[in-house]
C-alpha cells in the first residue's frame, strides 16, 4: 500500500524511532519538543486517525496495552522495519526536493490588486508587525534550556529555518512597503 507522506506521519515515525510510545506520549513529545510549530497535530482525533492509517499500511504495529489506574488503557505502538525505511525515504525526499506547498500568503498576494495600494500597505504593515513579534518568539525558543542546559542545535534547526524565513519575509515586506510609499508600485483596484 502506498502511503502519502505528511508532516504528522513523519513525526510519528520519527518519534517511534526512539522506542515504543502510546498516542498520548506521541502528542506530548510533539508539543514538548516544540515540533507543533512545524507539525499540525490538531485535535487528538487526527493523531489517532493517522496512527490507524500508519498501522494499516504496516509502517507501525500495535504492541502491548498499558494499564494505569490513573489513565484509560493505552495501546503502545512500535515502528516496523518498513516504517523505518519509509521514514528515511521521506526524510531524504523532504530534505533534497523543494516542493510547492501552496501557503496562504502568496495566494493572498496574487489577489492584492483587489484592494487599493494604500489598504495593501496598511495590511502588509500589520503583517510586518506580526513578523516582528514572531521573530522575538523564535529568538526566545532558540535560547531555551532544559534542566539548565542549552538545547542542542540539531534539535533547533527547524526553529532556525523558521526564523530565517521570517526575517526574509519581513525584509521583503519592508521593500514592498517602501515601493508603495514612494508610488513606484501601484495599481488600480478592481475585479480580476
Amino acid at each position: 500500500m502506498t502511503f502519502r507522506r505528511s508532516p504528522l506521519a513523519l513525526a510519528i515515525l520519527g518519534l517511534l524511532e526512539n522506542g515504543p510510545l502510546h498516542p498520548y506520549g506521541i502528542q506530548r513529545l510533539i508539543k514538548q519538543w516544540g515540533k507543533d510549530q512545524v507539525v499540525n497535530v490538531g485535535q487528538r482525533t487526527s493523531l489517532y486517525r493517522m496512527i490507524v492509517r500508519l498501522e494499516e499500511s504496516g509502517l507501525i504495529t500495535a504492541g502491548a496495552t498499558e494499564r494505569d489506574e490513573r489513565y484509560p488503557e493505552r495501546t503502545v505502538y512500535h515502528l516496523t522495519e518498513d516504517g523505518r525505511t519509509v521514514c528515511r525515504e521521506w526524510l531524504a525526499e523532504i530534505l533534497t526536493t523543494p516542493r510547492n506547498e501552496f501557503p496562504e500568503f502568496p495566494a493572498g498576494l496574487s489577489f492584492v490588486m483587489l484592494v487599493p495600494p494604500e489598504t495593501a500597505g496598511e495590511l502588509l504593515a500589520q503583517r510586518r508587525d506580526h513578523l516582528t513579534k514572531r521573530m522575538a518568539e523564535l529568538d526566545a525558543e532558540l535560547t531555551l534550556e532544559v534542566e539548565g542546559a542549552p538545547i542542542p542545535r540539531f534539535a533547533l534547526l527547524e526553529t532556525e529555518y523558521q526564523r530565517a524565513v521570517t526575517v526574509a519575509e519581513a525584509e521583503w515586506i519592508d521593500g514592498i512597503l517602501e515601493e508603495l510609499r514612494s508610488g513606484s508600485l501601484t495599481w488600480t483596484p478592481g475585479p480580476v
Side-chain angles (χ1 to χ4, degrees):
M1 174 180 194
T2 304
F3 194 95
R4 185 173 171 198
R5 76 172 188 244
S6 72
L8 181 56
L10 178 67
I12 293 168
L13 297 178
L15 290 171
L16 291 177
E17 284 271 355
N18 293 322
L21 289 167
H22 49 76
Y24 176 75
I26 292 169
Q27 184 179 33
R28 190 184 80 241
L29 284 176
I30 288 173
K31 289 184 179 188
Q32 185 178 23
W33 292 358
K35 304 304 181 198
D36 57 336
Q37 298 296 312
V38 293
V39 174
N40 184 5
V41 180
Q43 299 175 348
R44 193 171 296 163
T45 54
S46 60
L47 176 67
Y48 283 103
R49 277 196 300 266
M50 182 62 70
I51 287 171
V52 167
R53 290 181 53 224
L54 290 167
E55 184 179 20
E56 288 172 350
S57 297
L59 302 178
I60 64 174
T61 185
T65 299
E66 292 182 351
R67 288 172 175 68
D68 185 326
E69 38 195 68
R70 297 174 294 168
Y71 304 104
E73 289 184 351
R74 295 179 173 170
T75 302
V76 175
Y77 291 89
H78 302 261
L79 187 64
T80 65
E81 281 307 311
D82 284 346
R84 184 170 279 105
T85 300
V86 165
C87 183
R88 296 288 192 282
E89 289 171 359
W90 287 354
L91 191 56
E93 290 169 10
I94 290 168
L95 292 177
T96 60
T97 310
R99 187 174 150 214
N100 193 353
E101 296 170 350
F102 304 105
E104 287 183 340
F105 183 54
L109 288 173
S110 72
F111 290 96
V112 72
M113 79 294 287
L114 297 176
V115 298
E118 301 78 28
T119 302
E122 292 166 8
L123 297 172
L124 289 172
Q126 289 176 30
R127 184 175 184 93
R128 179 61 169 91
D129 291 342
H130 290 291
L131 292 172
T132 300
K133 291 175 187 159
R134 182 66 181 140
M135 283 185 277
E137 292 168 359
L138 292 167
D139 286 340
E141 286 179 35
L142 289 169
T143 61
L144 285 177
E145 294 184 351
V146 174
E147 298 176 5
I151 297 173
R153 183 168 178 228
F154 68 82
L156 296 170
L157 290 177
E158 75 274 11
T159 306
E160 284 183 14
Y161 171 79
Q162 287 179 309
R163 188 181 189 291
V165 169
T166 304
V167 168
E169 182 180 326
E171 290 172 356
W172 181 82
I173 288 176
D174 288 342
I176 295 299
L177 290 173
E178 181 53 39
E179 289 181 45
L180 288 168
R181 279 190 284 274
S182 74
S184 65
L185 175 62
T186 191
W187 59 87
T188 302
V192 181

